[in-house]
């Protein structure tokens, strides 16, 4: 979706790893297995989440190499790992902060696709200022009782478990009284209400917690230490956005008990169309990104390539893709040498926002008036395709309508700039006393 994609095509990864993976796939991939059976094999082999440490069902690979592994699985024609927030966020968080018992309970079910996860962080009054959250968890024997409201919960309607952060000690300063829980979504105290977006989809939800219960054993990283644990989750979110995410190369099957895919035939989720799409995406990423490639083809096809301003913007889009690629290479080289490039994840995310906006504006200019038509449901699509004669229109309008989301989630553009200003450039923070004053005494929004 974005041109700030991993530069893995250009990166020489450890060929031995790829050889080992290919031979493992040759021996183990069987399209007639059920999705659950295949994910059990893939997840327990360490190839499903190779960026996780070995004691957490991974292989300890760098993120770029892990994305390469996922692409290899897709190229081989096998079903990829169970994509979603479990693999992307919950697993690395629990691998970092959980006990071995918690890793064996939660991470195992994530890498084998048995359970799907969502992230119960944002609240109506706590998004950018996440540490201002007010959902309360109160101890009751060996359980906690949770009350509050969350919002923007992606995949909340298909989740079995959630990463919940809740206030457990309001008498402490705001960053200190928060705890990170793994909470079971299948309980009477949790109500999930889908929110429909302008894309036509309902990706995210409002979630109401009314006397929801969670055992003390489900606390990850210790009570009142949730801010540190949440920062690991958020760091993985930003890193995932900057490098193409943890789900690259995955097939179309969804994890968890609600999607209903686990008992289906694994091979049915690896269609020739899906393979072709992935091949196109890879080809596009090599020349500045899949969206640039798509838009260049469209502009050539309908003659708008003759417009010099369109050509100029296509080159800008290609350039942004190349910059992302080289920045990824720079970061990889720095890490190999034991250094870091401070702020790179934030800058990559900002560049991704720019790329999305340019893709939106340029795409709509190229398709012209037909850009006002969008298939909000799958059954509207054939009529629009037939009327416009352009089977790629849905990709352009879909990208245009979705372009508003990525610059917001994982920290808005303004928040990324604040982080770069304060933590990378050393500029002074806004003065406030929220590090010292008890949360319960801080002034709240009316
Ligand atoms: C597609 C999508 C999926 C999401 N999925 C999830 C999910 O699964 N789970 C979850 O918990 N959350 C999710 N979110 C929520 C997301 O993390 C928040 O929307 C985001 O953190 C911003 O918070 P907010 O919406 O409350 O905006 P606010 O924080 O109210 O910000 C409003 C505006 O004020 C600006 N602003 C705020 N504070 C500052 C400041 N200090 N300096 C400068 N400008 C500032 C912001 O940049 C923004 O422009 C998702 C969001 C989107 C768009």
């Amino acid at each position: 979706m974005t041109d700030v994609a991993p530069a893995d095509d250009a990166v020489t990864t450890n060929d031995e790893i790829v050889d080992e993976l290919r031979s493992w796939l040759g021996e183990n991939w069987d399209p007639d297995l059920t999705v659950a059976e295949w994910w059990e094999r893939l997840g327990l082999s360490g190839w499903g989440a190779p960026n996780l440490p070995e004691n957490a069902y991974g292989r300890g690979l760098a993120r770029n190499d892990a994305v390469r592994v996922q692409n290899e699985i897709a190229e081989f024609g096998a079903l990829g790992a169970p994509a979603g927030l479990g693999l992307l966020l919950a697993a690395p968080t629990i691998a970092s902060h959980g006990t071995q018992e918690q890793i064996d309970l939660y991470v195992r079910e994530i890498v084998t696709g048995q359970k799907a996860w969502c992230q119960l962080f944002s609240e109506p009054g706590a998004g950018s200022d996440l540490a201002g959250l007010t959902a309360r968890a109160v101890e009751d024997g060996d359980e906690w009782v949770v009350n509050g409201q969350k919002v923007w919960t992606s995949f909340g309607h298909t989740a079995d478990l959630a990463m919940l952060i809740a206030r457990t000690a309001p008498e402490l300063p705001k960053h200190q009284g928060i705890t990170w829980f793994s909470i079971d979504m299948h309980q009477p105290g949790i109500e999930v209400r889908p929110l429909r977006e302008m894309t036509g989809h309902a990706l995210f939800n409002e979630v109401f917690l009314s006397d929801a219960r969670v055992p003390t054993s489900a606390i990850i990283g210790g009570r009142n230490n949730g801010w540190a644990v949440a920062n690991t989750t958020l760091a993985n979110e930003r890193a995932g956005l900057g490098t193409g995410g943890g789900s690259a190369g995955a097939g179309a099957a969804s994890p968890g008990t609600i999607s209903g895919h686990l008992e289906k035939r694994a091979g049915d989720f690896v269609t020739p169309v899906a393979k072709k799409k992935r091949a196109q995406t890879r080809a596009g990423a090599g020349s500045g990104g899949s969206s640039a490639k798509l838009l260049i083809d469209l502009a050539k096809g309908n003659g708008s390539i003759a417009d010099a301003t369109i050509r100029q913007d296509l080159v800008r889009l290609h350039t942004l893709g190349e910059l992302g690629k080289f920045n990824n290479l720079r970061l990889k080289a720095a890490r190999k040498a034991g250094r870091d490039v401070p702020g790179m994840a934030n800058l990559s995310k900002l560049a991704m926002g720019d790329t999305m906006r340019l893709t939106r504006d340029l795409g709509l200019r190229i398709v012209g008036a037909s850009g006002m038509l969008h298939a909000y449901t799958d059954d509207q699509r054939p009529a629009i395709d037939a009327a416009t004669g352009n089977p790629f229109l849905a990709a352009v309008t879909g990208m245009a309508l979705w372009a508003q989301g990525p610059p917001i989630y994982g920290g808005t553009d303004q928040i990324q700039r604040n982080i770069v200003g304060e933590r990378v450039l050393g500029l002074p923070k806004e003065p406030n006393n929220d590090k010292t004053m008890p949360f319960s005494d801080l002034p709240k929004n009316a």
Side-chain angles (χ1 to χ4, degrees), residues 43 93 122 144 185 256 322 431 442:
T93 305
S122 304
W144 294 71
M185 291 289 287
E322 292 296 290
L442 283 176

Side-chain angles (χ1 to χ4, degrees), residues 49-67:
N51 58 312
L52 294 178
E54 286 181 16
N55 73 322
Y57 304 93
R59 288 176 171 250
L61 297 189
R63 188 176 283 272
N64 276 5
D65 292 337
V67 174

Side-chain angles (χ1 to χ4, degrees), residues 299-311:
K300 280 183 180 163
N302 73 4
S304 59
I305 196 85
D307 180 334
T309 63
I310 291 215
R311 289 202 304 277

Side-chain angles (χ1 to χ4, degrees), residues 85 89 118-130 150-156 163 165 197 203-205 234 237 402 404-416 418 422 430:
L85 298 184
L89 305 182
C118 66
Q119 181 190 24
L120 293 176
F121 278 24
S122 304
E123 298 180 2
S128 300
D129 179 23
L130 186 57
K150 299 287 177 176
V151 74
W152 299 99
T153 312
S154 307
F155 309 110
M163 301 161 254
I165 47 176
E197 309 132 40
L203 167 76
F204 40 70
N205 305 267
L234 296 173
E237 189 169 359
W402 174 243
Q404 285 56 243
I408 299 175
Y409 64 68
T412 65
D413 284 5
Q414 290 75 16
I415 295 304
Q416 303 302 331
N418 284 355
E422 290 165 10
E430 290 281 323

Side-chain angles (χ1 to χ4, degrees), residues 1 16 51 63 98 104-105 200 233 247 256 258 270 276 280 284 290 318 324 345 357 364 370 380 391 400 435:
M1 179 200 312
E16 279 174 22
N51 58 312
R63 188 176 283 272
D104 291 334
L105 175 63
T233 315
S247 57
I258 298 180
V270 188
K276 199 170 149 206
Q280 281 170 348
S290 53
H318 173 77
R357 283 183 283 263
L364 291 178
S370 10
Q380 293 170 348
K435 290 269 191 302

